[in-house]
Amino acid sequence: MTKTLFEKIIARELPATVVYEDDVVMAFRDINPQAPTHILIIPKKPIPRIAEAKPEDSQILGHLMLKAAEVAETLGLKKGGYRLVFNNGPDAGEAVPHLHCHILGGRHMNWPPG
Ligand code: AMP
């Protein structure tokens, strides 16, 4: 099976500015930032999207969320706040079929989202 863009980043076949990595997740800067700080945090396991996650992925997903908060704090976003976004499927604008959480911060964000 062909690798997704993000599997290629995990394998270091494509460059990325990695801000955090462990055995389970990797966090790197989005190539087209939508906020002063825009990070993607992804599981190393190729789960396509949250709708395809299985009960056995619970630990990975919990770890990903906790690390998202840790990365946000490390990058100075805790005080001002930040937004975590998972785009799931075409209506949400999902472009890469490898589960990823956007960490967006450094500016005020509107609600509802566009
Ligand atoms: P989504 O629309 O939720 O699937 O988000 C995909 C994100 O991946 C977008 O915000 C893109 O800007 C980002 N992206 C695409 N290619 C790369 C890349 N090579 N390195 C970093 N981010 C990327």
Side-chain angles (χ1 to χ4, degrees):
M1 242 174 51
T2 52
K3 285 183 186 166
T4 65
L5 194 65
F6 292 168
E7 283 176 275
K8 289 181 185 165
I9 287 176
I10 292 165
R12 274 15 197 227
E13 291 165 14
L14 282 177
T17 306
V18 177
V19 297
Y20 178 79
E21 181 177 15
D22 61 25
D23 290 346
V24 179
V25 298
M26 179 186 261
F28 51 92
R29 293 197 185 275
D30 196 292
I31 205 169
N32 183 22
Q34 301 301 311
T37 302
H38 187 172
I39 304 294
L40 300 173
I41 182 163
I42 66 174
K44 290 192 170 174
K45 179 179 175 182
I47 302 165
R49 60 192 59 78
I50 196 72
E52 260 71 64
K54 303 277 184 282
E56 58 265 30
D57 297 322
S58 299
Q59 215 170 344
I60 294 173
L61 296 175
H63 183 78
L64 184 139
M65 295 297 284
L66 291 171
K67 288 299 168 187
E70 203 175 289
V71 166
E73 182 169 3
T74 302
L75 296 177
L77 300 178
K78 187 176 181 183
K79 186 160 181 273
Y82 51 90
R83 186 169 287 176
L84 301 182
V85 175
F86 291 85
N87 291 324
N88 189 102
D91 277 356
E94 177 201 301
V96 182
H98 183 121
L99 193 147
H100 48 284
C101 175
H102 296 258
I103 305 170
L104 296 146
R107 67 168 170 84
H108 182 77
M109 268 164 257
N110 295 321
W111 192 262

